Amino acid sequence: MVTVDLAERTDHELLNLHKDGDAEAFGELFRRHKDRMWAVALRTSRDPEIAADAVQDGFINAFRRADSFRGDAAVTTWLHRIVVNACLDRLRRIKPTADIADHDPVEQRDYHRSVEVRLDVREALEQLPEGQKMALVLVDMHGLSVAEAAQILEVAEGTVKSRCARGRAAMAQLLEPA
């Protein structure tokens, strides 16, 4: 019996092997993508504990629901969507009244700060509406295409583009020197 090293398999092949009962295939997918999913979860939640739990939830959901993968997107795009949704679910449990839908950009606040004190990107990002923040994290920080981000966030590509544009404009204002 000839065995092929799982590391040589594509993500699609590994997922199909997992669906067919291969006990090791999903572990290889996890090893390949856990760091990237951790980065997405951490940027989404801004909390290492929530991120760790969301990554775990996401991979467990992917393991159990592998049959839901239709194959019309990259496996990584599918995993991103699952992990982002796991993060948002955890955040909703913490702040059940928080609105994570997209809404107007934050109002420019009158900050009387000294010239030495500036908002860094992380602080500015946290002030954005959730929809804008997620679009910017996926497109600008993780380098996903607008189409991939749209699939992950389950919105139209135009929505991702407009969220990114509004988010960038709000970030530019927030990052202006005082």
Side-chain angles (χ1 to χ4, degrees):
M1 182 172 158
V2 177
T3 60
V4 176
D5 185 13
L6 290 176
E8 297 175 16
R9 300 289 187 134
T10 67
D11 290 347
H12 277 82
E13 289 173 330
L14 288 171
L15 199 55
N16 285 331
L17 286 169
H18 167 66
K19 289 187 218 179
D20 291 340
D22 187 305
E24 304 296 321
F26 197 85
E28 178 62 25
L29 279 173
F30 175 78
R31 281 186 286 286
R32 280 184 195 179
H33 302 296
K34 66 181 170 150
D35 292 339
R36 189 171 183 189
M37 295 306 125
W38 163 254
V40 168
L42 188 58
R43 284 199 175 115
T44 302
S45 68
R46 310 302 314 158
D47 182 300
E49 286 185 37
I50 293 172
D53 289 343
V55 170
Q56 179 178 322
D57 291 349
F59 274 104
I60 288 171
N61 287 337
F63 182 89
R64 291 179 179 160
R65 296 184 310 162
D67 288 334
S68 72
F69 179 71
R70 295 185 309 256
D72 53 355
V75 173
T76 54
T77 302
W78 178 70
L79 288 171
H80 267 94
R81 181 183 309 132
I82 292 171
V83 170
V84 165
N85 285 339
C87 279
L88 296 177
D89 288 346
R90 288 203 168 262
L91 290 171
R92 282 184 189 111
R93 280 186 233 143
I94 293 168
K95 296 181 185 177
T97 60
D99 179 17
I100 64 164
D102 191 37
H103 48 81
D104 293 331
V106 294
E107 296 174 13
Q108 179 64 27
R109 297 184 183 125
D110 184 21
Y111 291 115
H112 299 299
R113 298 177 185 231
S114 67
V115 174
E116 299 85 36
V117 179
R118 298 177 188 209
L119 291 171
D120 67 7
V121 172
R122 176 182 282 174
E123 290 170 336
L125 194 60
E126 285 303 309
Q127 295 183 49
L128 297 179
E130 192 67 28
Q132 291 174 16
K133 179 172 85 169
M134 291 305 306
L136 287 176
V137 165
L138 294 174
V139 174
D140 292 348
M141 295 181 174
H142 287 286
L144 296 179
S145 70
V146 169
E148 289 173 314
Q151 286 181 343
I152 291 166
L153 297 173
E154 298 177 335
V155 297
E157 289 181 32
T159 301
V160 171
K161 288 178 186 177
S162 66
R163 287 179 181 178
C164 284
R166 287 187 307 227
R168 289 179 193 123
M171 292 275 293
Q173 287 183 332
L174 292 167
L175 292 170
E176 278 184 0

